[in-house]
Amino acid sequence: SLSAQPWLADHVVLGSVLLAGTAYVELVMYAGDQVGCALVQELTLQTPLLLPEQGAVQVQVWVGDPDQDGRRPVNVYSRPEGAEGSWTRHATGVLSPQAGRVPAGLGQWPPAGARPVAVDGVYERLADGGYVYGPVFQGLRAVWRSDRDVYAEVTLPEQDAADGFGLHPAVLDAALHPIGLTGLLGDEAVLPFAWSGVRLHATGATTLRVRLAPADDGAIAVAVFDTADQPVLTADSLVLRPVTADQLGAGVPDVAQSLFAVEWVPLPDAESGTTAAATELVWGWHGQVAGELPPVVVAELPTPDDAVGVVEATHAASTLVLGWVQEWLADAATEGSRLVVVTRGATDGSDLAAAAVWGLVRSAQSEHPNRFILLDLDDHTDPGSELGRILTAVLDSDEPEIAVRAGGLYTRRLTRAGGTGRLSLPGPERLSWRLDVLEPGSLDNLAVVDCPGVVAPLGVGQVRVGVRAAGLNFRDVLVGLGMYPDSAAVMGSEAAGVVLEVGAGVSGVVVGDRVFGMFNGALGPVAVTDHRLLARVPRGWSFTRAASVPIVFLTAFYALRDLAEVRAGQRILIHAAAGGVG
């Protein structure tokens, strides 16, 4: 359980109390040590973990079963202390039992030819750029720079704080501070994103010598030694990415930052019928107002002719209701009344023309509050016998939108997405599942479905991949809506991840490779595909970027080379390249 009270509160980025990225490394290295995996082969930080001003968060480190080479998946989760329900994943990676190489020492210190960089006032300057470090994190003591590499000397200000750590996250974090000081990666605020090949060689060190060596792909190799020039920690690659205050806010483990969705909920006290208003109705109003009007006037949208197409019906219904709204607002006699526009099938998607009418009237409601009410009936409601009761409840509630379903009255409310329990993802111990629609035609019935094939023995040429990111493209939408020509297709056609296992006859990829490509059903933790449909992820690419490439790339490649037969030297015009089909 972590709170913002101890040394963790000293790490503030862009105004947010943030769990240091190096703390994930320490947590995962400790977990790996418990299962004989000393090498953090890969660790990707997905969502920042922000500590609330009040209370604490629970943190869980989960290590999975080993593969044939002893590698194990690892994930770091959190949730607000005392909360129930799902955990938020902040980091994911792979642990390995490989020994890893022991680096040579730095030799002469400071390195010959390295130029000193002034560190006076460094933390004041970093604070101006959005990084605020408390006393425990202010460990940078000296910096030198050669033509390519950066060297630093760091220490842990509170020496006794190192107890219980392999390498205290604050001192490892200080080892990265020269990145911001020297502009090694530009002037943007950056945070650790992906670590590769991390190994702890010794524990207990509190004064360190550091070498940061940038690579051509934007990554940085990190080597940390003690004052006796013995290795303490090495990382083959560290990729950092820019971060904004909005992105940090997205990681706040607080209900105030939750995503919300619109739901139809029962109308409170809808059955009471305590008010006698609205019992006098003008039924079938067609825009002709004469005399004094009752509290509500009802206008029902006519049922469209089955022989009329959807476009024509929508145009006719919208034109009709637009005329009603305009005449209603133009007549001073309607000032004390509300126009109730009655439809059928507008809220369940069964009548697109009625749904368009709802959109139109909502616009009028926003400009003229308390002048219009939307009422959607189902096929079981008889307006002649039940409308008086319904309108009485509507006026009692003062709701602008009501749907009647099986005699019950419902209104729209914002509800926390995922809070209804309708879609709960399995825990990390279960791998044989994916997301899919139960019945094609709507994405509302998205569910977790079993897919035992992803853990079954591999066939010739097959590869099993631990999915880190899955692309969602126009094809997936068509599949989910039941509009794709191939009825056997499932959502999840492109993804990126790490190779977990290869079948006979596989060439080009091996276990541990970062790959991306085409799949059939990749919206889950594990997917299987043909090795010919995979490629290695280019260095410097995130899994998210890689997962978004295959469909759009192949679409453009096929369109330009095979269909258009474009040749080198030709000039072409590309229109709508960011469209739904890539």
Side-chain angles (χ1 to χ4, degrees), residues 9-104:
D10 284 340
H11 191 260
V12 180
V13 176
L14 298 179
S16 301
V17 181
L18 187 73
L19 183 65
T22 50
Y24 296 105
V25 177
E26 168 67 16
L27 287 166
V28 169
M29 286 194 303
Y30 178 84
D33 186 62
Q34 308 305 304
V35 294
C37 291
L39 179 68
V40 181
Q41 180 174 317
E42 169 191 321
L43 183 64
T44 301
L45 310 184
Q46 297 177 315
T47 305
L49 196 169
L50 275 65
L51 302 176
E53 294 182 6
Q54 302 293 331
V57 293
Q58 296 173 323
V59 176
Q60 177 190 106
V61 182
W62 175 89
V63 179
D65 293 331
D67 62 14
Q68 59 187 11
D69 296 319
R71 297 183 179 89
R72 295 173 178 263
V74 61
N75 294 292
V76 181
Y77 300 88
S78 82
R79 68 180 180 187
E81 190 173 55
E84 297 181 358
S86 60
W87 295 72
T88 297
R89 186 169 69 179
H90 296 280
T92 182
V94 177
L95 298 171
S96 173
Q98 297 175 358
R101 62 181 181 85
V102 178

Side-chain angles (χ1 to χ4, degrees), residues 19 43 51 58 109 124 131 173 194 304 311 321 340 373 486-487 525 539 545 555 558 561 580:
L19 183 65
L43 183 64
L51 302 176
Q58 296 173 323
W109 190 259
E124 288 79 2
Y131 299 90
D173 203 78
V311 175
V321 175
V340 180
I373 296 174
D486 183 3
S487 60
R539 292 193 65 181
R545 179 181 180 185
T555 301
Y558 172 70
R561 190 191 70 167

Side-chain angles (χ1 to χ4, degrees), residues 280-305:
E280 181 184 357
L281 306 174
V282 176
W283 180 253
W285 179 80
H286 296 288
Q288 303 299 320
V289 179
E292 185 178 351
L293 293 177
V296 292
V297 173
V298 178
E300 183 177 25
L301 185 68
T303 302
D305 188 339

